[in-house]
């Protein structure tokens, strides 16, 4: 990998041991932490009242290693704890990867349109950006392979892709990973992993063991419904994690966010239910598109990108005036399309009946 020279021998920040760990290790009933300049008086009773049932001591820093969450996620995905890195959302992990591997003189390869933060972070680091247009709404992995040269440091594969919702076929991905030079890090961003139901999507975890230059990103922001808590994680071989860890801010997940993520992981029934409802909701949009002859991309996510045969900015504004906030394709590099998050059955039905009204006004529907 083309790690930034500065991080070669850098060690991750070593936080003080968590109180509970010291208690356990030395068999003590009480341990006082006077190591990190926290407030010994805790926090205001008003904050306590607000927090209700949560009795954590938020006056002390969270466990920077996120040990309990780490164990829970490691068990859930069946990897070693040392193969995980936690981020303040996967946005944070994208920034960490970029900061560790991109700088002037190297380049990064990504699809277009894809998730905007790959480009955004690469621009900040001053790396050259090589964008490869999607082919039929999907990553063109052969063209991306062609775009890789001796200066390429990171390749981003958003799978499923935002904004199209499409996945890459497993065979294509495997062929791609076989051919990418081993010193190029391949990021498989799987923010929407839990929603995927296509048999063509293989569980990519085996690739982490097979290829030392692969990292998978997942998040608690989407199917787990915890976007505001900001918890994402990366899965890679231990050597990659060890290089990325020093670039991470030492306490990038709060005590509360670590706890809620564990609770969320324990309720897989909820994920199954949400996935089922999402599938039904997706059908509402697909039927609408088929009925009105509007193109749509086959989505494996909880959003759908479809054609409106009108100015997407106009449709966006008209829908906002009717109480629905969506994304205009113009802002996503797909003019003439809109991206809509799949809501509840009721929300979808209302949205689609109002959209019918707007598209009729725009002369799209007879
Ligand atoms: C493809 C993709 N990756 C990463 C993210 C960032 O998610 P978060 O930082 O909330 O984990 C998003 C959010 O929309 C996304 O669509």
């Amino acid at each position: 990998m083309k790690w930034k020279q500065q991080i070669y021998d850098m060690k991750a920040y070593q936080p003080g041991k968590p109180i509970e760990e010291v208690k356990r290790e030395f068999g003590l009933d009480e341990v006082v932490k006077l190591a990190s300049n926290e407030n010994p008086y805790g926090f205001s009773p008003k904050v306590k009242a607000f927090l209700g049932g949560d009795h954590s001591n938020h006056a002390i820093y969270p466990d920077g290693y996120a040990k309990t969450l780490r164990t829970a996620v490691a068990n859930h995905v069946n990897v070693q704890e040392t193969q995980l890195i936690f981020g303040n959302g996967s946005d944070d992990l994208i920034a960490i990867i970029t900061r560790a591997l991109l700088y002037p003189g190297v380049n990064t390869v990504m699809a277009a349109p894809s998730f905007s933060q790959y480009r955004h972070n690469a621009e900040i680091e001053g790396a050259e950006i090589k964008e490869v247009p999607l082919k039929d709404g999907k990553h063109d992995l052969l063209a991306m392979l062609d775009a890789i040269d001796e200066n390429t440091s990171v390749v981003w594969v958003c799978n499923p892709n935002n904004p199209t919702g499409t996945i890459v076929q497993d065979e294509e991905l495997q062929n791609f990973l076989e051919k990418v030079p081993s010193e190029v890090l391949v990021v498989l961003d799987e923010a929407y992993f839990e929603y995927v139901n296509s048999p063509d999507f293989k569980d990519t975890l085996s690739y982490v063991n097979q290829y030392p230059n692969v990292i998978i990103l997942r998040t608690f922001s989407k199917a787990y419904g915890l976007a505001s808590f900001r918890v994402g994680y990366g899965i890679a071989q231990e050597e990659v994690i060890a290089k990325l860890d020093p670039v991470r801010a030492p306490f990038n997940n709060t005590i509360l966010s670590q706890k809620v993520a564990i609770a969320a992981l324990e309720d897989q029934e909820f994920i199954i239910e949400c996935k089922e409802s999402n599938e039904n909701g997706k059908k509402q949009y697909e039927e609408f598109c088929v009925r009105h002859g509007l193109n749509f991309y086959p989505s494996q996510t909880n959003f759908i990108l479809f054609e409106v045969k009108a100015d997407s900015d106009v449709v966006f504004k008209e829908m906002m005036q009717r109480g629905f906030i969506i994304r205009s394709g113009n802002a996503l590099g797909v003019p003439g399309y809109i991206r809509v998050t799949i809501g509840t059955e009721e929300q979808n039905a209302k949205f689609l009946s109002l959209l019918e009204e707007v598209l009729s006004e725009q002369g799209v529907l007879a």
Side-chain angles (χ1 to χ4, degrees):
M1 245 70 73
K2 297 179 173 68
W3 300 107
K4 227 177 230 173
Q5 207 54 42
Q6 299 89 305
I7 67 165
Y8 256 94
D9 296 316
M10 219 175 242
K11 297 267 177 296
Y13 177 82
Q14 290 298 318
K17 279 187 186 234
I19 290 174
E20 290 309 316
E21 204 178 309
V22 177
K23 275 191 196 167
R24 245 183 326 215
E25 199 173 327
F26 296 98
L28 299 169
D29 291 333
E30 205 185 321
V31 169
V32 181
K33 185 169 174 242
L34 296 177
S36 305
N37 313 334
E38 294 132 334
N39 186 345
Y41 308 106
F43 44 84
S44 155
K46 289 189 176 154
V47 176
K48 200 171 206 158
F50 174 79
L51 287 168
D54 173 67
H55 301 297
S56 318
N57 183 1
H58 295 288
I60 61 162
Y61 283 97
D63 173 10
Y65 190 63
K67 169 69 181 154
T68 317
L69 174 60
R70 184 175 293 268
T71 305
V73 172
N75 288 338
H76 180 65
V77 291
N78 199 18
V79 297
Q80 299 297 314
E81 293 182 7
T82 45
Q83 291 185 269
L84 295 171
I85 181 169
F86 288 90
N88 195 255
S90 41
D91 277 338
D92 187 26
L93 296 167
I94 293 166
I96 290 169
I97 292 167
T98 311
R99 200 168 170 211
L101 284 156
L102 295 185
Y103 39 89
V106 299
N107 69 58
T108 181
V109 175
M110 62 192 73
S114 193
F115 186 50
S116 59
Q117 289 303 302
Y118 315 144
R119 192 191 163 92
H120 180 83
N121 281 280
E123 271 179 9
I124 292 172
E125 299 303 330
E128 185 197 343
I129 295 157
K130 290 185 159 194
E131 289 186 320
V132 178
L134 298 177
K135 197 171 158 192
D136 302 326
K138 293 184 194 158
H139 279 60
D140 186 348
L141 291 183
L142 290 178
M144 288 176 76
L145 212 47
D146 277 347
I148 295 173
D149 61 24
E150 67 280 7
N151 294 323
T152 304
S153 185
V154 182
V155 180
W156 307 87
V157 179
C158 189
N159 192 31
N161 188 43
N162 183 359
T164 48
T166 49
I167 55 165
V168 290
Q169 306 282 313
D170 178 49
E171 225 172 284
E172 281 176 54
L173 183 58
Q174 206 160 347
N175 178 50
F176 176 77
L177 293 176
E178 227 15 84
K179 294 190 177 136
V180 172
S182 58
E183 69 276 14
V184 174
L185 184 74
V186 180
V187 183
L188 302 177
D189 184 348
E190 298 184 352
Y192 300 92
F193 165 78
E194 290 82 4
Y195 287 112
V196 176
N197 70 355
S198 164
D200 293 333
F201 184 96
K202 189 183 134 173
D203 192 342
T204 46
L205 277 171
S206 64
Y207 294 141
V208 166
N209 293 331
Q210 213 175 329
Y211 303 101
N213 58 332
V214 164
I215 184 164
I216 296 173
L217 304 186
R218 292 191 184 160
T219 181
F220 283 89
S221 295
K222 306 298 177 183
Y224 286 96
L226 297 176
S228 102
F229 281 100
R230 314 303 299 130
V231 187
Y233 57 97
I235 314 165
Q237 290 193 10
E238 204 175 309
E239 293 71 21
V240 171
I241 299 295
K243 277 280 180 295
L244 292 174
D245 223 18
V247 186
R248 181 178 64 83
F251 305 107
N252 57 341
N253 295 118
T254 65
I255 291 177
L256 207 51
S257 60
Q258 293 180 30
K259 287 190 170 179
V260 295
I262 294 167
L265 218 45
E266 283 165 3
D267 192 355
Q268 288 302 312
E269 199 55 41
F270 176 76
I271 301 297
I272 293 166
E273 281 165 21
C274 290
K275 187 172 171 172
E276 267 174 29
S277 306
N278 185 62
E279 282 305 308
N280 293 335
K282 205 191 314 179
K283 284 195 194 103
Q284 290 175 274
Y285 286 89
E286 289 174 351
E287 278 164 20
F288 178 89
C289 290
V290 170
R291 187 151 36 93
H292 295 299
L294 304 170
N295 286 332
F296 63 92
Y297 289 100
S299 174
Q300 288 291 312
T301 64
N302 65 337
F303 58 81
I304 184 162
L305 181 71
F306 63 95
E307 190 189 28
V308 283
K309 293 188 173 161
D311 185 329
S312 350
D313 280 353
V314 172
V315 176
F316 163 78
K317 277 192 206 122
E318 290 291 330
M319 288 309 299
M320 191 145 69
Q321 279 164 19
R322 288 165 173 79
F324 281 94
I325 307 166
I326 54 165
R327 292 280 282 173
S328 160
N330 287 354
L332 300 168
V334 203
Y337 281 67
I338 53 171
R339 194 195 68 193
V340 183
T341 303
I342 296 162
T344 62
E345 187 182 351
E346 221 181 2
Q347 289 169 342
N348 300 333
K350 185 159 182 215
F351 176 86
L352 290 171
S353 95
L354 291 169
L355 182 64
E356 211 156 43
E357 189 180 294
V358 169
L359 295 187
S360 298
E361 275 175 21
Q362 294 298 309
V364 177
L365 307 180

